[in-house]
Amino acid sequence: MSSNFHPSDYHDLLSSAQWNENLRDLNQYVAHSLEQVGEPPALNGNLFYEHRATGFQTQPFIERFEPKRRNFFDLARRSTCLFEIGVNAGHSMLLALMANPELKCVGVDVCQRLNRRWARVDIYVPAAFNWLRYKFPDRVELIKGNSLIEAPAYALRHPDAKIDFLHLDGAKDTHLREVLALHALMPSGAFIVHDDSNLRPVRIADRQLRRLNFSKPIDYSEFSLTDCEFHLVRAAT
């Protein structure tokens, strides 16, 4: 994938032929992986599409998550390495990779259907992994496994790595342990994004991390971000 495209802002990216071609290609690849095994093309909810929306690839983006998408774009532009827990179908990682052509990404996803009400993550998440590796071969590292094992293992394998953007979008009751596992790799001021902050376990983890002085609030206006009820942006201490 060429890194020649440098979008000037969020609107420039989403209106570009490069973005729309990649989004269409990713959606088709993921949908095909499901259809091949007789499953409807439905995903768990993400930054773009409603939870379990059948035919997601023809659906409009979730309007209420527009501030999250814009924040994600701006944070990616300010970062050098995104570590994402909960890759899902790869849409947020695609947004970050295209927002910043210099960004490197590491993703962890369990790739298991832990809840019978979920879409077939065991089918489509590995497909999204394959697509991301093919499109961005030198910029992504994708790890299949439990974040509570893989995050500390990554920190042990890469003691000199620097993570300046941590996106927590896996299990909702593991944010505290995930931050603790990776905190040594995060410089002061690194962004920590708690997705689904409207949920109680996420808010509890955020409070605990701030009380333990592992994270602190940021001034959203300083970074031209929008305060949004669906995710929290913090800074590592």
Side-chain angles (χ1 to χ4, degrees):
M1 166 97 191
S2 171
S3 296
N4 293 331
F5 178 54
H6 291 256
S8 59
D9 56 26
Y10 174 80
H11 177 73
D12 185 39
L13 174 61
L14 264 64
S15 62
S16 70
Q18 294 93 325
W19 163 261
N20 285 285
E21 180 182 341
N22 277 334
L23 179 65
R24 182 170 56 252
D25 193 35
L26 171 61
N27 282 345
Q28 289 175 349
Y29 192 85
V30 168
H32 182 64
S33 74
L34 291 163
E35 291 164 345
Q36 276 190 311
V37 295
E39 291 287 335
L43 310 176
N44 280 2
N46 60 39
L47 212 58
F48 290 85
Y49 302 110
E50 294 283 0
H51 184 60
R52 296 296 306 273
T54 301
F56 68 91
Q57 66 273 35
T58 63
Q59 300 295 320
F61 295 163
I62 302 173
E63 185 175 353
R64 67 183 182 279
F65 286 175
E66 180 71 1
K68 286 209 301 185
R69 291 189 291 271
R70 288 182 176 274
N71 284 350
F72 208 84
F73 174 93
D74 288 332
L75 292 170
R77 298 267 281 191
R78 295 174 176 272
S79 304
T80 61
C81 179
L82 163 66
F83 196 105
E84 180 169 61
I85 295 176
V87 177
N88 200 6
H91 292 91
S92 53
M93 190 170 285
L94 174 63
L95 177 61
L97 286 160
M98 294 196 68
N100 180 356
E102 308 304 320
L103 186 73
K104 300 293 180 72
C105 295
V106 181
V108 175
D109 199 296
V110 70
C111 301
Q112 293 181 22
R113 195 184 190 192
L114 302 177
N115 186 322
R116 291 180 61 85
R117 292 175 294 177
W118 287 2
R120 291 297 303 273
V121 292
D122 54 318
I123 302 297
Y124 75 75
V125 177
F129 274 23
N130 289 339
W131 188 90
L132 288 164
R133 288 185 181 119
Y134 176 76
K135 288 288 184 177
F136 304 93
D138 301 321
R139 298 176 58 198
V140 301
E141 178 181 352
L142 298 164
I143 303 166
K144 178 180 178 180
N146 187 320
S147 63
L148 298 181
I149 297 171
E150 299 302 338
Y154 181 88
L156 287 172
R157 291 195 308 270
H158 304 280
D160 298 322
K162 184 182 86 168
I163 297 168
D164 49 8
F165 182 5
L166 175 61
H167 183 217
L168 303 169
D169 195 18
K172 306 312 167 191
D173 59 353
T174 57
H175 288 204
L176 173 66
R177 287 170 285 175
E178 290 160 350
V179 172
L180 296 182
L182 296 168
H183 191 265
L185 306 184
M186 303 181 70
S188 177
F191 299 114
I192 300 172
V193 177
H194 295 277
D195 207 86
D196 297 311
S197 56
N198 53 309
L199 301 179
R200 186 169 181 269
V202 177
R203 295 195 302 272
I204 290 173
D206 170 57
R207 286 199 302 270
Q208 290 172 325
L209 286 163
R210 287 185 286 114
R211 286 172 179 169
L212 292 168
N213 197 33
F214 281 93
S215 71
K216 61 184 179 181
I218 67 165
D219 180 349
Y220 278 65
S221 63
E222 178 183 347
F223 299 99
S224 300
L225 302 176
T226 300
D227 197 351
C228 170
E229 67 176 304
F230 299 109
H231 73 185
L232 285 169
V233 183
R234 303 302 191 197
T237 53

